[in-house]
Every structure is written in structure tokens, then in C-alpha cells.
Amino acid sequence: MPYVQRNAEGVVTAVFTAPGPDHQEELPFGHADLAPFSGPAEFARLDADLIRVIEDVVDVLIDRGLLRLTDLPPDAQRKLLARKGARARLRQGLNLLGPDDVI
């Protein structure tokens, strides 16, 4: 979590990755007082996190029979399936030990 420095009015004037003599207060990521310091990279990270949440919600709805993949528009179906495939390939690529390998 970032550490912040405030002015006399209590407005955040600087953000740091570690505490220091004039910036001991720690704020959680996404805190409203950090909004002026959120750049494109922060929004990209938040967007990526939200996309993952939406994927998980869609998976739960499908698993519970409340939604069918075919209920979604074709573009949405393709995008969801492409991300699922990419995540599956990433998981397989990181599996350094096969199912029968023992350490």
C-alpha cells in the first residue's frame, strides 16, 4: 500500500512506496484521496482486475445454469473463449512438473 504526505489542509500532496519521516500514513490502493495520483497504469491495473471479476461472474452464472454462453453476443463469446484459452495455456506453460512427477 502507498504512503502519503498531506498538507496542512489534509490534502494528499505526495505518494511514496515506503514510509518516511513526513509520510507515515498508509492508504489502500483505490482510496479516493489517491485519485489525483492515479495515472493510466493504475487504471489499466484496475481494468484488468475488473475484467477478471467479470469473467468469474460469468463463469458462476454459467455453472449455475443462469446464463448460457450462447446467450451472449458472438463478439462477447469469442472474447471470453479467447481469454479462457490464453489463461489455460498460461497455466499449462507454468506447470513445471507433470501429474506423475514427484519432488
Side-chain angles (χ1 to χ4, degrees):
M1 285 195 242
Y3 294 85
V4 298
Q5 179 180 21
R6 295 183 184 268
N7 64 16
E9 291 80 35
V11 176
V12 174
T13 57
V15 179
F16 302 88
T17 58
D22 59 346
H23 50 277
Q24 296 288 322
E25 181 184 356
E26 191 175 14
L27 290 179
F29 287 108
H31 190 280
D33 289 352
L34 296 174
F37 299 93
S38 298
E42 174 69 9
F43 283 109
R45 184 187 67 77
L46 292 171
D47 287 350
D49 290 347
L50 182 59
I51 289 167
R52 179 57 201 223
V53 169
I54 291 170
E55 283 182 86
D56 290 345
V57 169
V58 169
D59 286 344
V60 167
L61 292 173
I62 290 172
D63 290 346
R64 292 187 180 176
L66 300 170
L67 176 74
R68 292 182 306 234
L69 184 63
T70 54
D71 292 339
L72 300 172
D75 284 345
Q77 292 177 39
R78 278 192 295 280
K79 290 173 185 176
L80 281 168
L81 292 173
R83 282 193 53 90
K84 279 186 177 296
R87 284 198 347 243
R89 286 189 302 279
L90 180 62
R91 274 195 308 272
Q92 290 171 354
L94 295 177
N95 185 7
L96 301 176
L97 299 175
D100 299 327
D101 293 336
V102 179
I103 295 180

